[in-house]
Amino acid sequence: MQNERIGDPSKSKGNLVLVSTLRQSGVDPNAIRLALIESHYRSNRDWSADLLARADNRLQEWKRALAHSRGTSAHETIAAIRNALSDDLDTPRALKAVDQWAKKQHGEGDVGGPGLMSRALDTLLGIAI
């Protein structure tokens, strides 16, 4: 898949990537959402297979972190997500906060951390894991 500007009116050139086409090819809708919110909404964004692959890798890492019944407390990370979203919908910063939380997960610690984070991801970012 070549780079394609999201929202570029080049449909007549065949450069339009439809979400329905991605879904029909088996792409996880959460990966699509992560790819779309990886960049700030005010910036120009190019769609590429690499962007989708990075989003899918991020999603898999988050799923591994959330699979533990125990983990690092999620309260500070949820506050960081809320602060980022309150700051002109800074989704890249919100995603980085979750990435940092996910890297700390080793199945030890707060019994409610992963569950709380899962609910926050769904509520705040629309990522249902």
Side-chain angles (χ1 to χ4, degrees), residues 106-121:
H106 301 292
E108 299 174 5
D110 184 2
V111 74
L116 184 59
M117 181 58 73
S118 177
R119 290 187 297 279
L121 289 174

Side-chain angles (χ1 to χ4, degrees), residues 65-66 72-74 77 97-105 113-114 117:
L66 292 168
T72 303
S73 174
T77 303
V98 180
D99 290 341
Q100 291 171 349
W101 178 87
K103 288 178 183 171
K104 297 178 188 175
Q105 299 314 301
M117 181 58 73

Side-chain angles (χ1 to χ4, degrees), residues 4-6 35-37 39-41 43-47:
E4 297 158 15
R5 186 155 321 275
I6 296 172
L36 291 171
I37 66 174
S39 298
H40 193 272
Y41 75 94
S43 65
N44 287 329
R45 297 171 282 174
D46 291 324
W47 184 262

Side-chain angles (χ1 to χ4, degrees), residues 12 24 43 46 51 58 75 78 86 125:
S12 63
Q24 288 172 355
S43 65
D46 291 324
L51 174 68
R58 172 179 266 156
H75 295 287
I78 292 169
S86 294
L125 297 174

Side-chain angles (χ1 to χ4, degrees), residues 33-93:
R33 180 180 292 272
L34 282 172
L36 291 171
I37 66 174
E38 178 181 277
S39 298
H40 193 272
Y41 75 94
R42 291 181 189 262
S43 65
N44 287 329
R45 297 171 282 174
D46 291 324
W47 184 262
S48 69
D50 184 52
L51 174 68
L52 187 56
R54 280 195 319 269
D56 190 57
N57 289 338
R58 172 179 266 156
L59 180 61
Q60 298 313 313
E61 174 131 356
W62 289 7
K63 284 181 178 182
R64 282 189 292 277
L66 292 168
H68 298 289
S69 60
R70 295 178 162 275
T72 303
S73 174
H75 295 287
E76 286 183 26
T77 303
I78 292 169
I81 295 168
R82 285 184 175 138
N83 288 338
L85 296 177
S86 294
D87 183 14
D88 196 27
L89 201 60
D90 191 348
T91 54
R93 195 170 90 207

